[in-house]
Amino acid sequence: MADFYDLLGVSRDADADTLKRAYRRLARQYHPDINKEPGAEDRFKEIGRAYEVLSDPQSKARYDQFGEAGLGGAAGMPDMGDMGGFADLFETFFSGFGGAGGGAAGRQRRNGPQQGDDLRYDLTIDFDQAVFGQEREIRIPHLETCTTCNGSGAKSGSGPTTCSTCGGVGQVRRATRTPFGNFTQVAECPTCNGTGQVIADPCNACGGQGVTQVRKKLRINIPAGVDSGTRLRVAGEGNAGLRGGPAGDLYVFLTVKPHPHLRRDGLTVLSDVKVSYLQAILGDTIEVETVDGPTSLEIPPGTQPNAVLTLENKGIPKLGNPVARGNQRVTVAVQLPTRLNDDERTLLEQLAGHHSARGVQHHHHKSGLFARLFGQG
């Protein structure tokens, strides 16, 4: 496994805040709900393990001196002294990506502003909408700051008071007697949920939470060239933060419906067209479907089965630079007749008779194609 400091991209003398910022940034980047690339989940777990060790002074000291061998436990599982790291991980990811961390510093900050959760919204769009972009209106349920109490959670004229259960610390300690000795267990205060404060007279509109669930209407701009898996970030439209903290972001994950006749490969549009053997031999101009609508396509004389013809600038606009477009590649299928009437057979036999093996090379190019078609070349 890589060095824990390298995994988090910090120096060995990084302080706790630097570690936490690096961890949160990387955890957002590689979180399985956000990053669907192969290996992202494994990287996410490695980052979590690295932070779990380095955020605890005791395990960090052992790691600095002995590496992973000094951490002990089965497969590097933490001992009782490492529980703070687990609490930090749990709190960070189950109170939202931007929630406050665990440990003493995190508990102190829980009394202050907390950033709101990021939200995910899945949106399905049509093939043409993905190609050319569109402005869409969506409705999302999210938490907004309560307008009645301005996010304080208390009725007008009142405010939070120090929790009497924990004395404002946010934690309670319980002593447990075991055959191995007495252990002190530290847990989040159940009365104030770890904040150290309680609201004696809660706001009726939000029940003392400071936030209310609202279904909001948003207009989002889908740029030209998006594809399934493209993620759009709408800043500040996630859940509202607690106690005046900033709101999280909204991430819109796109899924593009397939087109009945066109396929996509990066910036290239792929399609198929069927022509008769006479069109392939003599050439023709036909109409084909493109993302821009019906377009003329020239079938050159002598087009071979499964030939690929190109329509310039009929592909997908490049995301972020819609002036640059790909091409459309059209695969030509040549249909041979399965049944001939007497007149058609007579004409074809006459044509075939004109092209013996001895004289094929002296005939016109187009006639030579007929000869090869009927096995006379």
Side-chain angles (χ1 to χ4, degrees):
M1 186 174 178
D3 179 80
F4 286 169
Y5 291 97
D6 290 343
L7 272 174
L8 295 176
V10 297
S11 63
R12 301 187 79 83
D13 57 357
D15 59 21
D17 283 343
T18 302
L19 280 170
K20 192 180 294 291
R21 283 196 302 271
Y23 166 62
R24 288 215 180 116
R25 177 176 56 80
L26 291 168
R28 284 180 186 233
Q29 182 179 346
Y30 290 103
H31 193 279
D33 287 345
I34 299 294
N35 193 328
K36 302 296 183 184
E37 294 179 6
E41 186 171 357
D42 291 339
R43 186 69 183 273
F44 175 73
K45 291 176 181 176
E46 291 175 358
I47 291 163
R49 172 62 175 154
Y51 179 67
E52 172 200 325
V53 171
L54 298 183
S55 61
D56 181 77
Q58 293 181 359
S59 61
K60 180 179 185 296
R62 291 199 298 273
Y63 180 77
D64 288 346
Q65 188 169 2
F66 303 108
E68 283 195 76
L71 300 177
M77 287 298 289
D79 58 25
M80 291 296 288
D82 290 318
M83 290 305 290
F86 270 136
D88 203 9
L89 284 171
F90 180 86
E91 190 169 279
T92 296
F93 285 98
F94 289 90
S95 64
F97 298 136
R107 285 191 296 275
Q108 291 167 8
R109 278 197 298 273
R110 290 191 63 176
N111 296 331
Q114 292 181 30
Q115 182 171 343
D117 293 350
D118 292 335
L119 295 180
R120 170 174 176 155
Y121 184 88
D122 292 293
L123 179 64
T124 300
I125 59 176
D126 292 332
F127 190 90
D128 290 345
Q129 292 170 343
V131 173
F132 297 111
Q134 189 192 42
E135 195 176 64
R136 279 287 294 268
E137 189 175 272
I138 62 173
R139 295 177 68 89
I140 60 160
H142 72 168
L143 297 178
E144 290 188 357
T145 300
C146 176
T147 55
T148 303
C149 64
N150 292 323
S152 71
K155 279 186 179 177
S156 179
S158 66
T161 59
T162 301
C163 175
S164 58
T165 305
C166 63
V169 177
Q171 287 184 334
V172 291
R173 296 173 180 268
R174 295 188 182 94
T176 307
R177 186 184 298 276
T178 73
F180 303 101
N182 293 334
F183 287 89
T184 300
Q185 182 182 9
V186 180
E188 184 180 83
C189 176
T191 304
C192 64
N193 295 321
T195 64
Q197 293 180 324
V198 292
I199 296 171
D201 197 7
C203 168
N204 291 331
C206 63
Q209 298 300 309
V211 290
T212 54
Q213 182 86 348
V214 176
R215 198 167 182 85
K216 183 175 183 179
K217 190 183 293 185
L218 284 177
R219 295 192 73 84
I220 60 169
N221 181 46
I222 301 170
V226 297
D227 201 356
S228 288
T230 299
R231 184 188 71 187
L232 306 178
R233 174 175 171 265
V234 187
E237 293 296 349
N239 283 340
L242 298 179
R243 287 176 288 281
D249 298 330
L250 171 67
Y251 289 92
V252 180
F253 285 73
L254 299 178
T255 299
V256 180
K257 293 179 186 176
H259 191 281
H261 306 118
L262 305 176
R263 304 181 304 281
R264 177 174 178 174
D265 181 14
L267 299 183
T268 303
V269 171
L270 306 174
S271 65
D272 303 304
V273 69
K274 293 180 180 179
V275 299
S276 71
Y277 70 107
L278 292 175
Q279 286 175 302
I281 293 167
L282 300 174
D284 198 0
T285 298
I286 63 171
E287 194 174 79
V288 296
E289 187 172 2
T290 74
V291 293
D292 295 311
T295 301
S296 295
L297 173 66
E298 183 180 350
I299 306 295
T303 296
Q304 299 298 306
N306 298 319
V308 177
L309 305 178
T310 299
L311 286 168
E312 301 258 344
N313 295 318
K314 292 295 181 183
I316 309 294
K318 187 175 182 180
L319 187 61
N321 182 17
V323 177
R325 285 186 67 174
N327 301 325
Q328 180 168 338
R329 294 168 61 82
V330 183
T331 301
V332 180
V334 179
Q335 293 181 303
L336 299 178
T338 55
R339 293 183 180 180
L340 298 172
N341 60 35
D342 290 343
D343 290 340
E344 290 170 335
R345 179 175 292 277
T346 299
L347 285 170
L348 289 173
E349 285 176 347
Q350 289 175 355
L351 180 63
H354 282 298
H355 301 278
S356 64
R358 182 170 51 84
V360 166
Q361 59 187 341
H362 302 297
H363 288 291
H364 189 274
H365 176 64
K366 197 172 292 185
S367 300
L369 285 168
F370 271 100
R372 289 198 296 278
L373 181 64
F374 293 101
Q376 299 298 318

